Amino acid sequence: MVSALPRFGRYRLALLALALLLPLALLLGAGLGAYPIPPLAIPGILLRGEGVEYQVLTALRFPRVLGAALVGALLALAGGTLQGLFRNPLVDPGLIGVTSGAALGAAVFIVLLPGSGPLEVYALPLFAFLGGLLATRLLWGLARTPLGTQVTVLLLSGIALNALVGAGIGLLTFLASEQELRSLTFWTLGGFSAVTWRLLLPALPLALLALALLLPLARPLNAFALGEREAFHLGVDLEALKRRAVAGAALAVGVAVALAGGVGFLGLVAPHLFRLLAGPDHRYLLPGSALLGASLAVLADLLARTLAAPAEIPVGVLTALLGGPFFLYLVLRYKREVYRA
């Protein structure tokens, strides 16, 4: 009990720090950019309710930073859940093929069904979401056996699906015109420049549903970490846990990819950083990962549009530059732990 108190305090301290970091990141993200607005002046501008700065904030900056926070939170929460389900901290939402399925759905729309006029702003994310949903349904069907859902088969099927989807996107890239190729490349690199209120608001109910599916899984995932047999004897409904975790993660990733395209590594980095800060208890890890992922996404977007202003660096490129070395660090650390064992 005595040894548990410092860890419990560290969890609460980490959550408090992340809860304070997110509004700070949102304030910086809303204020800084090609048209700089002092972050501390934002409350006054909102109270006045008029002027160019008010228009910039309400029409451009707020949907963008809130969209970035939502995408980061969803990806990080999906990553933390899947890492708990697979009992492997190296698992990323992209590994089970959901991100690739969403990317293929978007590629099909851009190359084969262009020119939807005013509906295009909704059609592209809809196709991305449907692509992620179909990929999840296919994987779930492959992993189902008379003995239940096999997590290992799910993971291996996801790897195979990623390869197939990569080939499909390559074929569509070969068929695309110059304009379609530019759109496809820009979308797959990821970014938040296209996030507007018209795109963000319809996504909110689905995002809330994903949060409602995933956040209550903390206690069952803690039991699952002891092993499937131990979790069963502790009263966990294993099939319901797996079904809800995969469905919630697919929904979260589908919404995130539909809003921002291919923004990778947030689902891997945020949960692992929280484990380093506080520990692996999913009761704190899941909300902590969501808060940290939201802040990281907002800050990554801020860097993307200020480092090379007035041009913008694709956010997916930045997250890959930061997340790739971090993933290698995790692999090397895992390798050292294996040798020690």
Side-chain angles (χ1 to χ4, degrees):
M1 182 66 185
V2 173
S3 61
L5 285 176
R7 174 61 64 89
F8 182 67
R10 199 162 65 201
Y11 278 122
R12 300 184 73 172
L13 190 62
L15 280 181
L16 178 63
L18 293 174
L20 294 175
L21 174 64
L22 180 56
L24 179 63
L26 289 171
L27 204 59
L28 290 175
L32 303 181
Y35 185 90
I37 298 172
L40 295 179
I42 289 177
I45 294 170
L46 294 179
L47 287 175
R48 283 200 301 275
E50 59 183 6
V52 176
E53 292 175 330
Y54 177 80
Q55 294 299 326
V56 169
L57 285 173
T58 56
L60 300 176
R61 297 278 173 80
F62 282 164
R64 180 166 183 157
V65 296
L66 291 176
L70 183 65
V71 167
L74 290 172
L75 290 176
L77 184 58
T81 304
L82 292 176
Q83 287 169 12
L85 183 67
F86 289 104
R87 283 178 285 170
N88 188 334
L90 302 181
V91 169
D92 180 86
L95 202 60
I96 62 168
V98 181
T99 308
S100 299
L104 181 60
V108 166
F109 172 76
I110 291 172
V111 177
L112 301 182
L113 302 167
S116 298
L119 294 178
E120 188 163 349
V121 67
Y122 300 111
L124 177 59
L126 179 63
F127 269 74
F129 177 69
L130 289 177
L133 199 63
L134 288 174
T136 305
R137 184 68 188 88
L138 176 62
L139 289 172
W140 193 256
L142 290 172
R144 289 283 295 172
T145 71
L147 299 177
T149 305
Q150 299 298 310
V151 173
T152 305
V153 176
L154 189 67
L155 184 61
L156 294 174
S157 302
I159 294 172
L161 184 65
N162 275 328
L164 284 173
V165 167
I169 292 178
L171 181 61
L172 289 171
T173 303
F174 174 74
L175 297 173
S177 66
E178 188 174 341
Q179 177 60 36
E180 291 163 354
L181 185 59
R182 190 178 296 113
S183 300
L184 182 59
T185 303
F186 186 75
W187 191 86
T188 53
L189 289 176
F192 303 105
S193 60
V195 178
T196 61
W197 290 120
R198 281 202 310 160
L199 192 62
L200 181 60
L201 292 178
L204 279 179
L206 294 174
L208 291 175
L209 178 59
L211 294 176
L213 285 171
L214 295 179
L215 284 175
L217 297 181
R219 289 183 185 278
L221 285 175
N222 277 346
F224 197 75
L226 302 173
E228 291 202 30
R229 180 176 298 178
E230 289 79 2
F232 174 77
H233 288 299
L234 287 172
V236 176
D237 185 339
L238 297 178
E239 281 305 298
L241 170 63
K242 294 172 185 175
R243 191 165 50 244
R244 186 165 173 171
V246 172
L251 185 59
V253 174
V255 173
V257 174
L259 284 174
V263 179
F265 284 107
L266 282 175
L268 170 71
V269 172
H272 206 79
L273 281 178
F274 187 85
R275 283 192 197 90
L276 293 176
L277 284 172
D281 190 334
H282 289 88
R283 293 175 299 168
Y284 304 93
L285 174 68
L286 295 186
S289 299
L291 287 171
L292 184 55
S295 299
L296 290 177
V298 173
L299 293 175
D301 179 51
L302 178 60
L303 288 175
R305 54 191 164 87
T306 53
L307 285 179
E312 284 192 19
I313 303 172
V315 175
V317 173
L318 273 182
T319 56
L321 283 174
L322 298 174
F326 188 76
F327 184 76
L328 287 177
Y329 158 74
L330 292 180
V331 171
L332 292 175
R333 182 177 169 178
Y334 177 73
K335 177 183 169 185
R336 282 198 299 270
E337 289 175 356
V338 169
Y339 276 115
R340 282 175 189 162

Tab-separated table of all heavy atoms in Angstrom, residues 169-224:
chain	number	residue	atom	x	y	z
A	169	ILE	N	-3.370	1.000	-53.730
A	169	ILE	CA	-3.108	2.437	-53.834
A	169	ILE	C	-2.055	2.696	-54.913
A	169	ILE	O	-2.130	3.674	-55.671
A	169	ILE	CB	-2.659	2.990	-52.468
A	169	ILE	CG1	-3.819	2.929	-51.474
A	169	ILE	CG2	-2.145	4.421	-52.604
A	169	ILE	CD1	-3.477	3.401	-50.083
A	170	GLY	N	-1.064	1.805	-55.010
A	170	GLY	CA	-0.059	1.945	-56.068
A	170	GLY	C	-0.686	1.872	-57.446
A	170	GLY	O	-0.334	2.644	-58.355
A	171	LEU	N	-1.654	0.945	-57.629
A	171	LEU	CA	-2.336	0.813	-58.921
A	171	LEU	C	-3.155	2.069	-59.233
A	171	LEU	O	-3.143	2.572	-60.371
A	171	LEU	CB	-3.245	-0.416	-58.891
A	171	LEU	CG	-4.023	-0.713	-60.171
A	171	LEU	CD1	-3.063	-0.969	-61.328
A	171	LEU	CD2	-4.949	-1.910	-59.974
A	172	LEU	N	-3.861	2.586	-58.216
A	172	LEU	CA	-4.642	3.814	-58.424
A	172	LEU	C	-3.724	4.994	-58.720
A	172	LEU	O	-4.070	5.865	-59.532
A	172	LEU	CB	-5.487	4.102	-57.178
A	172	LEU	CG	-6.666	3.149	-56.948
A	172	LEU	CD1	-7.288	3.380	-55.577
A	172	LEU	CD2	-7.714	3.341	-58.038
A	173	THR	N	-2.570	5.033	-58.100
A	173	THR	CA	-1.599	6.091	-58.383
A	173	THR	C	-1.138	6.012	-59.843
A	173	THR	O	-0.964	7.027	-60.522
A	173	THR	CB	-0.388	5.958	-57.439
A	173	THR	OG1	-0.842	6.000	-56.094
A	173	THR	CG2	0.613	7.077	-57.673
A	174	PHE	N	-0.962	4.779	-60.332
A	174	PHE	CA	-0.555	4.584	-61.724
A	174	PHE	C	-1.645	5.070	-62.690
A	174	PHE	O	-1.357	5.622	-63.752
A	174	PHE	CB	-0.274	3.090	-61.951
A	174	PHE	CG	0.023	2.738	-63.375
A	174	PHE	CD1	1.242	3.072	-63.954
A	174	PHE	CD2	-0.914	2.064	-64.144
A	174	PHE	CE1	1.513	2.755	-65.270
A	174	PHE	CE2	-0.645	1.731	-65.463
A	174	PHE	CZ	0.574	2.087	-66.024
A	175	LEU	N	-2.918	4.883	-62.305
A	175	LEU	CA	-4.027	5.267	-63.176
A	175	LEU	C	-4.386	6.749	-63.077
A	175	LEU	O	-5.096	7.276	-63.941
A	175	LEU	CB	-5.273	4.434	-62.829
A	175	LEU	CG	-5.164	2.917	-63.053
A	175	LEU	CD1	-6.412	2.228	-62.506
A	175	LEU	CD2	-4.971	2.607	-64.531
A	176	ALA	N	-3.915	7.426	-62.029
A	176	ALA	CA	-4.369	8.803	-61.760
A	176	ALA	C	-3.814	9.801	-62.762
A	176	ALA	O	-2.704	9.639	-63.270
A	176	ALA	CB	-3.941	9.201	-60.341
A	177	SER	N	-4.625	10.839	-63.003
A	177	SER	CA	-4.131	11.957	-63.812
A	177	SER	C	-3.211	12.809	-62.940
A	177	SER	O	-3.065	12.582	-61.736
A	177	SER	CB	-5.306	12.791	-64.317
A	177	SER	OG	-5.959	13.409	-63.213
A	178	GLU	N	-2.625	13.827	-63.570
A	178	GLU	CA	-1.677	14.663	-62.824
A	178	GLU	C	-2.365	15.362	-61.657
A	178	GLU	O	-1.844	15.413	-60.538
A	178	GLU	CB	-1.052	15.698	-63.760
A	178	GLU	CG	0.085	16.471	-63.119
A	178	GLU	CD	0.765	17.384	-64.111
A	178	GLU	OE1	0.618	17.158	-65.333
A	178	GLU	OE2	1.410	18.336	-63.677
A	179	GLN	N	-3.571	15.916	-61.891
A	179	GLN	CA	-4.299	16.607	-60.831
A	179	GLN	C	-4.732	15.639	-59.731
A	179	GLN	O	-4.624	15.925	-58.539
A	179	GLN	CB	-5.528	17.319	-61.413
A	179	GLN	CG	-6.407	18.008	-60.383
A	179	GLN	CD	-5.658	19.083	-59.615
A	179	GLN	OE1	-4.803	19.783	-60.178
A	179	GLN	NE2	-5.949	19.222	-58.330
A	180	GLU	N	-5.224	14.455	-60.145
A	180	GLU	CA	-5.651	13.458	-59.159
A	180	GLU	C	-4.463	12.966	-58.333
A	180	GLU	O	-4.580	12.742	-57.138
A	180	GLU	CB	-6.323	12.293	-59.872
A	180	GLU	CG	-7.672	12.646	-60.489
A	180	GLU	CD	-8.117	11.620	-61.522
A	180	GLU	OE1	-7.324	10.705	-61.845
A	180	GLU	OE2	-9.249	11.747	-62.019
A	181	LEU	N	-3.323	12.824	-59.012
A	181	LEU	CA	-2.122	12.369	-58.310
A	181	LEU	C	-1.697	13.388	-57.262
A	181	LEU	O	-1.295	13.025	-56.143
A	181	LEU	CB	-0.988	12.141	-59.308
A	181	LEU	CG	0.300	11.545	-58.752
A	181	LEU	CD1	0.045	10.190	-58.117
A	181	LEU	CD2	1.353	11.424	-59.858
A	182	ARG	N	-1.826	14.676	-57.591
A	182	ARG	CA	-1.466	15.729	-56.638
A	182	ARG	C	-2.401	15.687	-55.420
A	182	ARG	O	-1.952	15.770	-54.269
A	182	ARG	CB	-1.534	17.100	-57.323
A	182	ARG	CG	-0.935	18.215	-56.481
A	182	ARG	CD	-0.974	19.554	-57.189
A	182	ARG	NE	-0.158	19.558	-58.390
A	182	ARG	CZ	-0.633	19.661	-59.614
A	182	ARG	NH1	-1.936	19.762	-59.812
A	182	ARG	NH2	0.174	19.666	-60.645
A	183	SER	N	-3.704	15.537	-55.682
A	183	SER	CA	-4.675	15.471	-54.584
A	183	SER	C	-4.433	14.255	-53.701
A	183	SER	O	-4.465	14.338	-52.471
A	183	SER	CB	-6.103	15.415	-55.136
A	183	SER	OG	-6.388	16.545	-55.891
A	184	LEU	N	-4.176	13.108	-54.359
A	184	LEU	CA	-3.961	11.868	-53.611
A	184	LEU	C	-2.706	11.961	-52.751
A	184	LEU	O	-2.711	11.584	-51.570
A	184	LEU	CB	-3.849	10.700	-54.596
A	184	LEU	CG	-3.656	9.305	-54.002
A	184	LEU	CD1	-4.802	8.958	-53.079
A	184	LEU	CD2	-3.533	8.269	-55.108
A	185	THR	N	-1.641	12.502	-53.317
A	185	THR	CA	-0.385	12.618	-52.567
A	185	THR	C	-0.560	13.552	-51.381
A	185	THR	O	-0.120	13.257	-50.264
A	185	THR	CB	0.729	13.147	-53.490
A	185	THR	OG1	0.857	12.264	-54.608
A	185	THR	CG2	2.048	13.222	-52.754
A	186	PHE	N	-1.216	14.696	-51.614
A	186	PHE	CA	-1.410	15.670	-50.539
A	186	PHE	C	-2.247	15.074	-49.412
A	186	PHE	O	-1.951	15.260	-48.233
A	186	PHE	CB	-2.098	16.913	-51.100
A	186	PHE	CG	-2.224	18.029	-50.099
A	186	PHE	CD1	-1.129	18.799	-49.751
A	186	PHE	CD2	-3.440	18.296	-49.491
A	186	PHE	CE1	-1.239	19.811	-48.817
A	186	PHE	CE2	-3.562	19.308	-48.557
A	186	PHE	CZ	-2.453	20.068	-48.227
A	187	TRP	N	-3.297	14.315	-49.771
A	187	TRP	CA	-4.172	13.736	-48.750
A	187	TRP	C	-3.454	12.673	-47.946
A	187	TRP	O	-3.568	12.614	-46.721
A	187	TRP	CB	-5.422	13.157	-49.415
A	187	TRP	CG	-6.473	12.790	-48.418
A	187	TRP	CD1	-7.433	13.610	-47.890
A	187	TRP	CD2	-6.649	11.522	-47.802
A	187	TRP	NE1	-8.187	12.919	-46.987
A	187	TRP	CE2	-7.726	11.638	-46.912
A	187	TRP	CE3	-5.999	10.294	-47.918
A	187	TRP	CZ2	-8.173	10.579	-46.148
A	187	TRP	CZ3	-6.440	9.239	-47.149
A	187	TRP	CH2	-7.522	9.388	-46.283
A	188	THR	N	-2.690	11.799	-48.620
A	188	THR	CA	-2.023	10.718	-47.905
A	188	THR	C	-0.915	11.234	-46.989
A	188	THR	O	-0.547	10.555	-46.026
A	188	THR	CB	-1.428	9.681	-48.873
A	188	THR	OG1	-0.605	10.359	-49.828
A	188	THR	CG2	-2.510	8.924	-49.600
A	189	LEU	N	-0.376	12.428	-47.275
A	189	LEU	CA	0.661	12.983	-46.399
A	189	LEU	C	0.081	13.485	-45.085
A	189	LEU	O	0.799	13.639	-44.100
A	189	LEU	CB	1.399	14.126	-47.103
A	189	LEU	CG	2.328	13.705	-48.252
A	189	LEU	CD1	2.912	14.930	-48.930
A	189	LEU	CD2	3.435	12.799	-47.746
A	190	GLY	N	-1.214	13.761	-45.058
A	190	GLY	CA	-1.885	14.162	-43.817
A	190	GLY	C	-1.755	15.642	-43.523
A	190	GLY	O	-0.754	16.285	-43.848
A	191	GLY	N	-2.805	16.204	-42.917
A	191	GLY	CA	-2.783	17.622	-42.557
A	191	GLY	C	-4.160	18.082	-42.107
A	191	GLY	O	-5.158	17.377	-42.285
A	192	PHE	N	-4.198	19.269	-41.501
A	192	PHE	CA	-5.452	19.780	-40.949
A	192	PHE	C	-5.943	21.039	-41.667
A	192	PHE	O	-6.866	21.687	-41.179
A	192	PHE	CB	-5.261	20.086	-39.456
A	192	PHE	CG	-4.802	18.900	-38.659
A	192	PHE	CD1	-3.493	18.802	-38.216
A	192	PHE	CD2	-5.677	17.868	-38.373
A	192	PHE	CE1	-3.065	17.696	-37.493
A	192	PHE	CE2	-5.260	16.754	-37.656
A	192	PHE	CZ	-3.953	16.672	-37.218
A	193	SER	N	-5.322	21.386	-42.789
A	193	SER	CA	-5.708	22.625	-43.470
A	193	SER	C	-7.130	22.561	-44.020
A	193	SER	O	-7.772	23.601	-44.208
A	193	SER	CB	-4.720	22.927	-44.607
A	193	SER	OG	-4.724	21.858	-45.533
A	194	ALA	N	-7.636	21.367	-44.292
A	194	ALA	CA	-8.983	21.250	-44.874
A	194	ALA	C	-10.077	21.122	-43.817
A	194	ALA	O	-11.259	21.036	-44.161
A	194	ALA	CB	-9.031	20.033	-45.804
A	195	VAL	N	-9.701	21.112	-42.522
A	195	VAL	CA	-10.710	20.923	-41.470
A	195	VAL	C	-11.469	22.234	-41.247
A	195	VAL	O	-10.897	23.249	-40.872
A	195	VAL	CB	-10.060	20.467	-40.151
A	195	VAL	CG1	-11.124	20.317	-39.068
A	195	VAL	CG2	-9.316	19.156	-40.337
A	196	THR	N	-12.748	22.207	-41.508
A	196	THR	CA	-13.628	23.361	-41.291
A	196	THR	C	-14.770	22.920	-40.385
A	196	THR	O	-14.928	21.735	-40.084
A	196	THR	CB	-14.202	23.864	-42.629
A	196	THR	OG1	-14.968	22.792	-43.218
A	196	THR	CG2	-13.089	24.260	-43.599
A	197	TRP	N	-15.589	23.894	-39.975
A	197	TRP	CA	-16.748	23.544	-39.141
A	197	TRP	C	-17.659	22.569	-39.882
A	197	TRP	O	-18.248	21.673	-39.275
A	197	TRP	CB	-17.541	24.796	-38.772
A	197	TRP	CG	-16.845	25.718	-37.815
A	197	TRP	CD1	-16.513	27.021	-38.037
A	197	TRP	CD2	-16.401	25.427	-36.481
A	197	TRP	NE1	-15.889	27.552	-36.942
A	197	TRP	CE2	-15.814	26.596	-35.967
A	197	TRP	CE3	-16.435	24.293	-35.681
A	197	TRP	CZ2	-15.270	26.658	-34.685
A	197	TRP	CZ3	-15.894	24.344	-34.412
A	197	TRP	CH2	-15.329	25.517	-33.920
A	198	ARG	N	-17.812	22.757	-41.223
A	198	ARG	CA	-18.701	21.889	-42.003
A	198	ARG	C	-18.231	20.445	-41.978
A	198	ARG	O	-19.016	19.510	-42.081
A	198	ARG	CB	-18.754	22.365	-43.458
A	198	ARG	CG	-19.649	23.557	-43.685
A	198	ARG	CD	-20.077	23.632	-45.122
A	198	ARG	NE	-18.957	23.532	-46.053
A	198	ARG	CZ	-19.088	23.204	-47.318
A	198	ARG	NH1	-20.277	22.907	-47.806
A	198	ARG	NH2	-18.033	23.170	-48.112
A	199	LEU	N	-16.904	20.241	-41.881
A	199	LEU	CA	-16.354	18.890	-41.841
A	199	LEU	C	-16.280	18.357	-40.415
A	199	LEU	O	-16.501	17.163	-40.171
A	199	LEU	CB	-14.948	18.907	-42.458
A	199	LEU	CG	-14.300	17.565	-42.767
A	199	LEU	CD1	-15.122	16.799	-43.788
A	199	LEU	CD2	-12.882	17.768	-43.261
A	200	LEU	N	-15.985	19.265	-39.466
A	200	LEU	CA	-15.745	18.839	-38.081
A	200	LEU	C	-17.035	18.458	-37.352
A	200	LEU	O	-17.092	17.436	-36.654
A	200	LEU	CB	-15.021	19.963	-37.342
A	200	LEU	CG	-14.656	19.707	-35.878
A	200	LEU	CD1	-13.734	18.499	-35.760
A	200	LEU	CD2	-14.001	20.940	-35.267
A	201	LEU	N	-18.070	19.270	-37.500
A	201	LEU	CA	-19.284	19.049	-36.709
A	201	LEU	C	-19.963	17.706	-37.004
A	201	LEU	O	-20.381	17.009	-36.063
A	201	LEU	CB	-20.258	20.214	-36.922
A	201	LEU	CG	-19.773	21.561	-36.343
A	201	LEU	CD1	-20.770	22.655	-36.635
A	201	LEU	CD2	-19.524	21.439	-34.843
A	202	PRO	N	-20.085	17.286	-38.298
A	202	PRO	CA	-20.688	15.962	-38.526
A	202	PRO	C	-19.864	14.814	-37.966
A	202	PRO	O	-20.401	13.728	-37.703
A	202	PRO	CB	-20.770	15.879	-40.061
A	202	PRO	CG	-20.714	17.276	-40.538
A	202	PRO	CD	-19.854	18.004	-39.564
A	203	ALA	N	-18.548	15.043	-37.788
A	203	ALA	CA	-17.694	13.968	-37.268
A	203	ALA	C	-17.799	13.822	-35.751
A	203	ALA	O	-17.424	12.781	-35.205
A	203	ALA	CB	-16.234	14.239	-37.651
A	204	LEU	N	-18.299	14.854	-35.065
A	204	LEU	CA	-18.311	14.832	-33.604
A	204	LEU	C	-19.126	13.678	-33.009
A	204	LEU	O	-18.669	13.016	-32.067
A	204	LEU	CB	-18.827	16.163	-33.062
A	204	LEU	CG	-17.797	17.296	-33.011
A	204	LEU	CD1	-18.432	18.565	-32.482
A	204	LEU	CD2	-16.598	16.904	-32.159
A	205	PRO	N	-20.359	13.407	-33.504
A	205	PRO	CA	-21.109	12.281	-32.911
A	205	PRO	C	-20.379	10.951	-33.027
A	205	PRO	O	-20.380	10.149	-32.072
A	205	PRO	CB	-22.419	12.273	-33.726
A	205	PRO	CG	-22.548	13.649	-34.264
A	205	PRO	CD	-21.152	14.126	-34.503
A	206	LEU	N	-19.735	10.700	-34.179
A	206	LEU	CA	-18.989	9.448	-34.332
A	206	LEU	C	-17.779	9.414	-33.403
A	206	LEU	O	-17.442	8.366	-32.833
A	206	LEU	CB	-18.536	9.290	-35.789
A	206	LEU	CG	-19.659	9.111	-36.808
A	206	LEU	CD1	-19.097	9.102	-38.229
A	206	LEU	CD2	-20.399	7.813	-36.543
A	207	ALA	N	-17.127	10.578	-33.245
A	207	ALA	CA	-15.973	10.637	-32.342
A	207	ALA	C	-16.409	10.367	-30.897
A	207	ALA	O	-15.741	9.637	-30.159
A	207	ALA	CB	-15.298	12.003	-32.452
A	208	LEU	N	-17.528	10.937	-30.497
A	208	LEU	CA	-18.030	10.712	-29.134
A	208	LEU	C	-18.410	9.246	-28.934
A	208	LEU	O	-18.203	8.682	-27.849
A	208	LEU	CB	-19.241	11.619	-28.865
A	208	LEU	CG	-18.914	13.121	-28.779
A	208	LEU	CD1	-20.201	13.917	-28.630
A	208	LEU	CD2	-17.979	13.398	-27.606
A	209	LEU	N	-18.969	8.621	-29.983
A	209	LEU	CA	-19.298	7.198	-29.892
A	209	LEU	C	-18.037	6.366	-29.694
A	209	LEU	O	-18.018	5.415	-28.890
A	209	LEU	CB	-20.041	6.760	-31.162
A	209	LEU	CG	-20.417	5.278	-31.243
A	209	LEU	CD1	-21.301	4.887	-30.067
A	209	LEU	CD2	-21.103	4.964	-32.568
A	210	ALA	N	-16.969	6.715	-30.431
A	210	ALA	CA	-15.702	5.990	-30.271
A	210	ALA	C	-15.166	6.156	-28.850
A	210	ALA	O	-14.698	5.187	-28.230
A	210	ALA	CB	-14.679	6.498	-31.289
A	211	LEU	N	-15.232	7.365	-28.306
A	211	LEU	CA	-14.788	7.593	-26.926
A	211	LEU	C	-15.623	6.771	-25.943
A	211	LEU	O	-15.096	6.178	-24.993
A	211	LEU	CB	-14.886	9.079	-26.576
A	211	LEU	CG	-13.951	10.023	-27.350
A	211	LEU	CD1	-14.247	11.465	-26.971
A	211	LEU	CD2	-12.501	9.708	-27.042
A	212	ALA	N	-16.941	6.732	-26.187
A	212	ALA	CA	-17.824	5.983	-25.293
A	212	ALA	C	-17.552	4.476	-25.356
A	212	ALA	O	-17.758	3.755	-24.379
A	212	ALA	CB	-19.283	6.269	-25.648
A	213	LEU	N	-17.101	3.991	-26.509
A	213	LEU	CA	-16.783	2.567	-26.639
A	213	LEU	C	-15.459	2.223	-25.970
A	213	LEU	O	-15.318	1.162	-25.347
A	213	LEU	CB	-16.721	2.176	-28.121
A	213	LEU	CG	-18.050	2.033	-28.857
A	213	LEU	CD1	-17.811	1.858	-30.345
A	213	LEU	CD2	-18.809	0.819	-28.312
A	214	LEU	N	-14.478	3.114	-26.079
A	214	LEU	CA	-13.112	2.760	-25.680
A	214	LEU	C	-12.785	3.090	-24.218
A	214	LEU	O	-12.110	2.312	-23.548
A	214	LEU	CB	-12.113	3.470	-26.604
A	214	LEU	CG	-12.151	3.026	-28.070
A	214	LEU	CD1	-11.139	3.800	-28.895
A	214	LEU	CD2	-11.868	1.530	-28.186
A	215	LEU	N	-13.221	4.234	-23.737
A	215	LEU	CA	-12.801	4.652	-22.394
A	215	LEU	C	-13.243	3.669	-21.290
A	215	LEU	O	-12.492	3.433	-20.342
A	215	LEU	CB	-13.320	6.064	-22.097
A	215	LEU	CG	-12.544	7.195	-22.787
A	215	LEU	CD1	-13.215	8.540	-22.535
A	215	LEU	CD2	-11.094	7.231	-22.309
A	216	PRO	N	-14.456	3.070	-21.364
A	216	PRO	CA	-14.833	2.129	-20.286
A	216	PRO	C	-14.074	0.808	-20.300
A	216	PRO	O	-14.319	-0.031	-19.434
A	216	PRO	CB	-16.336	1.892	-20.546
A	216	PRO	CG	-16.775	3.008	-21.411
A	216	PRO	CD	-15.588	3.339	-22.258
A	217	LEU	N	-13.169	0.590	-21.280
A	217	LEU	CA	-12.461	-0.687	-21.362
A	217	LEU	C	-11.235	-0.746	-20.459
A	217	LEU	O	-10.489	-1.734	-20.493
A	217	LEU	CB	-12.021	-0.947	-22.814
A	217	LEU	CG	-13.138	-1.088	-23.834
A	217	LEU	CD1	-12.560	-1.363	-25.209
A	217	LEU	CD2	-14.069	-2.223	-23.438
A	218	ALA	N	-11.008	0.297	-19.662
A	218	ALA	CA	-9.764	0.365	-18.890
A	218	ALA	C	-9.629	-0.819	-17.928
A	218	ALA	O	-8.600	-1.506	-17.917
A	218	ALA	CB	-9.716	1.688	-18.131
A	219	ARG	N	-10.635	-1.085	-17.118
A	219	ARG	CA	-10.517	-2.181	-16.137
A	219	ARG	C	-10.403	-3.552	-16.808
A	219	ARG	O	-9.552	-4.367	-16.411
A	219	ARG	CB	-11.707	-2.140	-15.180
A	219	ARG	CG	-11.660	-0.959	-14.217
A	219	ARG	CD	-12.815	-0.981	-13.234
A	219	ARG	NE	-12.818	0.207	-12.402
A	219	ARG	CZ	-12.071	0.365	-11.322
A	219	ARG	NH1	-11.275	-0.626	-10.937
A	219	ARG	NH2	-12.119	1.484	-10.622
A	220	PRO	N	-11.255	-3.884	-17.825
A	220	PRO	CA	-11.050	-5.173	-18.502
A	220	PRO	C	-9.667	-5.304	-19.134
A	220	PRO	O	-9.088	-6.394	-19.120
A	220	PRO	CB	-12.150	-5.179	-19.577
A	220	PRO	CG	-13.189	-4.255	-19.071
A	220	PRO	CD	-12.480	-3.210	-18.285
A	221	LEU	N	-9.114	-4.219	-19.656
A	221	LEU	CA	-7.775	-4.299	-20.260
A	221	LEU	C	-6.718	-4.536	-19.188
A	221	LEU	O	-5.715	-5.224	-19.431
A	221	LEU	CB	-7.468	-3.012	-21.038
A	221	LEU	CG	-8.176	-2.870	-22.388
A	221	LEU	CD1	-7.882	-1.506	-23.008
A	221	LEU	CD2	-7.750	-3.979	-23.351
A	222	ASN	N	-6.905	-3.974	-18.001
A	222	ASN	CA	-5.971	-4.258	-16.903
A	222	ASN	C	-5.981	-5.745	-16.565
A	222	ASN	O	-4.933	-6.357	-16.339
A	222	ASN	CB	-6.354	-3.446	-15.663
A	222	ASN	CG	-5.807	-2.040	-15.714
A	222	ASN	OD1	-4.940	-1.729	-16.535
A	222	ASN	ND2	-6.310	-1.179	-14.848
A	223	ALA	N	-7.179	-6.351	-16.534
A	223	ALA	CA	-7.260	-7.790	-16.277
A	223	ALA	C	-6.681	-8.590	-17.438
A	223	ALA	O	-6.000	-9.602	-17.237
A	223	ALA	CB	-8.726	-8.179	-16.038
A	224	PHE	N	-6.920	-8.122	-18.665
A	224	PHE	CA	-6.430	-8.816	-19.867
A	224	PHE	C	-4.905	-8.833	-19.906
A	224	PHE	O	-4.298	-9.742	-20.475
A	224	PHE	CB	-6.989	-8.102	-21.104
A	224	PHE	CG	-6.913	-8.930	-22.358
A	224	PHE	CD1	-7.794	-9.978	-22.567
A	224	PHE	CD2	-5.957	-8.661	-23.325
A	224	PHE	CE1	-7.719	-10.738	-23.723
A	224	PHE	CE2	-5.884	-9.419	-24.481
A	224	PHE	CZ	-6.775	-10.461	-24.673
